[in-house]
């Protein structure tokens, strides 16, 4: 089995997946000061990458092309634990899925849309910090992330 590498170089990486380009642009813009953000429209492309490299955190929209955000999280959790990859799940408050993945999988925080930029950043950093505090993730940037809250 291939070992999954943690993506690090300079800033910690944040991956985001959504069917909505505007949502991805907002995430990238909000996170640019603290994270190097990579965005994906295709959940299958991201799943392939996650088998090789894990970012510091992942933002998953409630709706994706070809599958729901909850289904995507279930697939990710088959090979990456909550300690290895913290996830912020962003379903629409008007289109909340019946299945809440935060109840079934550790390391998933639900942040309903619409949300403020500061709420998104807080959700991401609290997830990342929680995984660092648990001692399961190793990162050269861990001390800086803990102070960045």
């Amino acid at each position: 089995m291939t070992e999954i590498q943690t993506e690090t170089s300079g800033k910690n990486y944040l991956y985001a997946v959504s069917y909505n380009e505007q949502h991805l642009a907002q995430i990238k813009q909000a996170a640019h000061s603290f994270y190097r953000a990579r965005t994906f429209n295709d959940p299958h492309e991201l799943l392939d990458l996650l088998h090789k490299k894990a970012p510091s955190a992942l933002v998953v929209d409630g709706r994706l092309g070809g599958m729901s955000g909850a289904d995507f999280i279930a697939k990710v959790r088959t090979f990456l634990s909550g300690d290895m990859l913290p996830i912020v799940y962003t379903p629409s408050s008007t289109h909340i899925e019946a299945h809440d993945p935060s109840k079934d999988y550790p390391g998933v925080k639900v942040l309903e849309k619409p949300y403020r930029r500061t709420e998104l950043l807080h959700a991401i950093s609290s997830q990342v910090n929680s995984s660092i505090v648990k001692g399961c993730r190793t990162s050269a940037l861990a001390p800086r992330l803990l102070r960045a809250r």
Side-chain angles (χ1 to χ4, degrees):
M1 184 168 150
T2 306
E3 183 178 329
I4 298 171
Q5 300 294 317
T6 301
E7 174 117 50
T8 56
S9 60
K11 291 181 186 176
N12 279 356
Y13 276 78
L14 169 72
Y15 293 172
V17 60
S18 175
Y19 74 100
N20 186 318
E21 285 288 340
Q22 183 179 2
H23 184 231
L24 290 173
Q26 290 170 349
I27 292 169
K28 196 170 195 173
Q29 200 278 329
H32 82 278
S33 294
F34 302 102
Y35 300 94
R36 186 168 179 187
R38 289 185 64 185
T39 58
F40 299 84
N41 291 106
D42 182 354
H44 301 288
E45 176 187 354
L46 179 53
L47 279 172
D48 289 342
L49 178 61
L50 288 173
H51 277 24
K52 299 171 196 149
K53 291 185 177 183
S56 297
L58 176 63
V59 178
V60 179
D61 196 357
R63 293 188 340 180
L64 307 175
M67 72 177 78
S68 72
D71 290 340
F72 180 83
I73 292 169
K75 288 179 188 256
V76 169
R77 284 298 182 245
T78 64
F79 63 95
L80 281 172
S81 70
D83 295 332
M84 277 297 296
L85 180 61
I87 296 174
V88 176
Y89 177 54
T90 60
S92 171
S93 62
T94 58
H95 188 262
I96 297 175
E97 295 178 60
H99 180 73
D100 177 357
S102 68
K103 294 177 182 169
D104 294 328
Y105 305 104
V108 177
K109 177 163 182 62
V110 176
L111 179 64
E112 291 180 17
K113 291 187 277 182
Y115 52 77
R116 292 186 182 105
R117 177 187 308 190
T118 55
E119 292 172 317
L120 175 64
L121 290 174
H122 181 267
I124 294 167
S125 27
S126 69
Q127 287 293 88
V128 170
N129 288 338
S130 175
S131 71
I132 291 169
V133 168
K134 288 177 186 173
C136 296
R137 285 187 59 88
T138 57
S139 170
L141 300 178
R144 184 168 54 174
L145 285 173
L146 290 170
R147 287 192 305 269
R149 280 196 301 148

